[in-house]
Amino acid sequence: MRLAVTDGHLEIEVTDDGVGPAADFHAGIGITGMRERATELGGTCTVAAREGGGARVLARLPIGASS
């Protein structure tokens, strides 16, 4: 797990060394919910295969006042 502040965003990254998402992967309720919440906050959340195997979840959320 990694937490960092970059360009006015909080970055939260979680990786594993498992088999990673299948080629025909479709986001379920959990991943969809994380993406929707990040978007509501003005950020992003991506889930992808990690180079060398495994998966990577990266959320980038803006730091500062929100409307």
Side-chain angles (χ1 to χ4, degrees):
M1 185 168 132
R2 178 181 68 88
L3 296 173
V5 175
T6 306
D7 299 325
H9 287 81
L10 172 63
E11 290 187 350
I12 305 161
E13 180 182 40
V14 179
T15 61
D16 72 20
D17 60 356
V19 296
D24 61 350
F25 167 78
H26 295 288
I29 293 171
I31 292 173
T32 299
M34 290 190 299
R35 288 178 178 160
E36 288 174 354
R37 184 64 179 139
T39 299
E40 289 171 358
L41 295 171
T44 60
C45 181
T46 58
V47 178
R50 193 173 75 112
E51 187 175 323
R56 175 180 183 237
V57 178
L58 176 63
R60 292 191 81 236
L61 308 172
I63 297 174
S66 61
S67 52

